[in-house]
């Protein structure tokens, strides 16, 4: 536990659209505002928002102190009424 407390990095994960809901690693992950506290290595990120396809991807956290990642959701196909 002590090693985890000394190693995490502050990771900003931005989303498109901005209102998308995020989860990281499918378990309780510490978060401070818009920043996630993650240890270096690979992390599973899931994002969803109404009207968009769900996204599951991986991010790589390095040993850099501050890092930023961006995930973009793809809009669902719409219906055209004529």
């Amino acid at each position: 536990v002590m090693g985890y407390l000394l190693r995490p990095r502050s990771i900003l994960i931005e989303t498109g659209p901005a209102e998308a809901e995020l989860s990281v690693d499918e378990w309780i992950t510490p978060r401070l505002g818009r920043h996630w506290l993650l240890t270096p290595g690979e992390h599973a990120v899931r994002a969803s928002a109404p009207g968009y396809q769900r996204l599951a991807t991986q991010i790589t956290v390095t040993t850099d102190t501050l890092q930023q990642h961006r995930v973009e959701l793809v809009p669902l196909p719409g219906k055209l009424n004529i």
Side-chain angles (χ1 to χ4, degrees):
V1 172
M2 194 59 156
Y4 179 83
L5 296 175
L6 298 175
R7 293 184 41 201
R9 302 294 182 240
S10 176
I11 310 300
L12 173 62
I13 304 175
E14 294 184 311
T15 61
E19 68 273 7
E21 292 186 21
L22 282 176
S23 68
V24 177
D25 292 336
E26 296 185 12
W27 57 288
I28 298 173
T29 303
R31 190 174 180 180
L32 296 171
R34 296 181 349 154
H35 293 261
W36 298 79
L37 298 177
L38 302 173
T39 55
E42 294 290 317
H43 294 274
V45 174
R46 296 185 184 275
S48 64
Y52 291 83
Q53 294 178 10
R54 292 177 185 255
L55 174 72
T57 189
Q58 296 272 83
I59 62 169
T60 301
V61 174
T62 66
T63 56
D64 294 342
T65 304
L66 296 174
Q67 298 172 56
Q68 182 174 340
H69 294 271
R70 182 161 183 85
V71 294
E72 290 287 336
L73 299 178
V74 176
L76 292 171
K79 294 182 182 178
L80 178 61
N81 293 323
I82 299 179

